[in-house]
Amino acid sequence: MPRYDQASRCSGAAEVVFRWYGNPQCESSADNVEAAVSALMGAISGNGRIWNPWNETMARREFRSRIVKASQGALVPVDHVKPVDIRNPPPMYEIRWQDVAVAELEPGGSQRFRQVLVRMYHSEPYEVPSHFIGHHAHEKDVTVVDINAQQNEEIATAVGWYEHGRASRWGIAGYPCSV
């Protein structure tokens, strides 16, 4: 029986392979980190957000750097990676960004700069012990009335992607598909 009370593989000081799951096919992805970075950027774009080349480059670098550190097992528990539900299968974790800079266009045409919270949910299935699998990215909105309800919806989306990919082992090459 697998244990779901363990710390994240991303903070275990050992190499783990990252897989961004979003394509239900059982095939390898040429660049999983860049697919995740695109999903993270998509999560914080829109709603009057504007990007200049410097701002966008910095956000992408922050996302990329944290995912690479996760694959090296070098994340700091709670500050960078935190369990969101490890008692129930699948064990689900969040990689956290606490201060991503964004610019917003105000109604009068001026720009407002602020920091946003960003989360990427991933699983660490016992079926693929050498991997962690990204499932969903979102901006954590602390202005909503019920933050926990909003976050539970985002976690449910990630669990849905986990379940969707389970039969194909999330498209990880070298692991047999059951489809």
Side-chain angles (χ1 to χ4, degrees), residues 20 35-44 97 118-121 134-140 154 157-158 161:
W20 177 257
V37 168
S38 292
L40 288 156
M41 287 301 296
I44 61 171
W97 291 266
V118 185
R119 304 293 187 255
M120 182 183 82
Y121 296 113
H135 298 292
H136 180 57
H138 77 98
E139 178 180 338
K140 182 175 180 178
E154 302 291 353
T157 298
W161 280 110

Side-chain angles (χ1 to χ4, degrees), residues 64-85:
R64 190 177 299 112
S65 174
R66 178 96 14 112
I67 295 167
V68 168
K69 284 182 181 177
S71 68
Q72 296 166 345
L75 296 186
V76 176
V78 184
D79 288 344
H80 300 150
V81 62
K82 176 182 168 186
V84 293
D85 189 1

Side-chain angles (χ1 to χ4, degrees), residues 1-165:
M1 180 72 171
R3 287 184 45 154
Y4 294 116
D5 62 346
Q6 300 176 51
S8 171
R9 294 172 188 165
C10 299
S11 62
E15 297 274 328
V16 286
V17 178
F18 177 65
R19 168 75 170 120
W20 177 257
Y21 177 77
N23 180 347
Q25 303 301 314
C26 186
E27 55 189 43
S28 63
S29 173
D31 198 343
N32 290 287
V33 172
E34 291 308 314
V37 168
S38 292
L40 288 156
M41 287 301 296
I44 61 171
S45 295
N47 297 328
R49 299 263 166 86
I50 54 176
W51 296 100
N52 62 46
W54 183 87
N55 183 273
E56 181 178 1
T57 299
M58 292 308 295
R60 287 182 179 279
R61 282 185 183 162
E62 286 182 51
F63 293 142
R64 190 177 299 112
S65 174
R66 178 96 14 112
I67 295 167
V68 168
K69 284 182 181 177
S71 68
Q72 296 166 345
L75 296 186
V76 176
V78 184
D79 288 344
H80 300 150
V81 62
K82 176 182 168 186
V84 293
D85 189 1
I86 57 172
R87 291 181 307 272
N88 301 304
M92 201 59 71
Y93 301 84
E94 68 180 12
I95 294 179
R96 306 159 52 116
W97 291 266
Q98 297 294 91
D99 54 1
V100 177
V102 297
E104 297 172 337
L105 191 59
E106 296 285 314
S110 63
Q111 291 183 26
R112 181 179 98 150
F113 296 91
R114 66 186 190 101
Q115 310 288 333
V116 297
L117 308 174
V118 185
R119 304 293 187 255
M120 182 183 82
Y121 296 113
H122 76 273
S123 65
E124 300 178 1
Y126 70 92
E127 299 100 321
V128 287
S130 59
H131 286 71
F132 70 107
I133 303 156
H135 298 292
H136 180 57
H138 77 98
E139 178 180 338
K140 182 175 180 178
D141 184 355
V142 296
T143 65
V144 297
V145 175
D146 191 346
I147 295 171
N148 288 335
Q150 179 213 29
Q151 196 143 350
N152 287 339
E153 287 179 26
E154 302 291 353
I155 293 166
T157 298
V159 171
W161 280 110
Y162 169 91
E163 293 297 338
H164 189 264

